[in-house]
Amino acid sequence: MTKYIAFLRAINVGGHTIIKMTDRKQMFKSSGLGNVQTYIQSGNVIFESDEDDTPFLEGIARQVESAWGYKTELFVRSIREVQSIVTKSPFTAKGDETLHIGFLKEKPDRNIKRSC
């Protein structure tokens, strides 16, 4: 089994789009995913699966919209991918510093011109 982290965008931010941790956990379990764990009040969920990420992503996004009445962006990275990103980061956290990492759903288009 492969361990993954699912990132649900804009969940539990500023008191809006609230999905309780227990509800998120149950939603992932009901999709057939194993060893499901939620992480604090973020929209992040850790789980295990033998499948490619595509099939369950669509099902979970539909469940969120059906159960809570709003759409959310959702994407998944394997634990190995996240560990690799942290290890290869040119910005290292030292002492009490924190390393912040942002994920994009797709690779940016190099042809887009910057306006800054």
Side-chain angles (χ1 to χ4, degrees):
M1 285 214 165
T2 303
K3 190 174 264 193
Y4 295 96
I5 302 175
F7 300 91
L8 285 82
R9 186 168 183 251
I11 297 297
N12 298 350
V13 177
H16 303 286
T17 59
I18 301 295
I19 303 177
K20 293 181 181 178
M21 290 171 49
T22 54
D23 294 339
R24 268 183 283 132
K25 188 173 184 174
Q26 185 55 41
M27 187 178 6
F28 276 70
K29 281 183 175 181
S30 70
S31 295
L33 304 170
N35 197 20
V36 179
Q37 303 167 41
T38 52
Y39 179 72
I40 58 175
Q41 287 296 333
S42 69
N44 304 338
V45 180
I46 302 167
F47 62 93
E48 293 178 345
S49 177
D50 287 329
E51 295 184 46
D52 180 348
D53 62 359
T54 306
F56 54 77
L57 282 178
E58 292 173 4
I60 291 170
R62 280 193 305 271
Q63 285 182 38
V64 168
E65 185 174 8
S66 174
W68 287 279
Y70 49 82
K71 291 183 180 185
T72 184
E73 294 269 343
L74 166 71
F75 61 100
V76 171
R77 298 290 185 262
S78 73
I79 293 289
R80 286 188 180 177
E81 286 177 294
V82 174
Q83 288 171 333
S84 176
I85 291 165
V86 170
T87 301
K88 293 177 181 178
S89 171
F91 308 103
T92 58
K94 297 177 184 172
D96 62 347
E97 295 176 2
T98 303
L99 177 63
H100 294 269
I101 299 171
F103 294 98
L104 302 175
K105 193 169 185 176
E106 298 173 354
K107 188 173 183 175
D109 183 350
R110 289 183 175 260
N111 296 323
I112 295 176
K113 295 182 182 186
R114 292 189 277 178
S115 61
C116 302

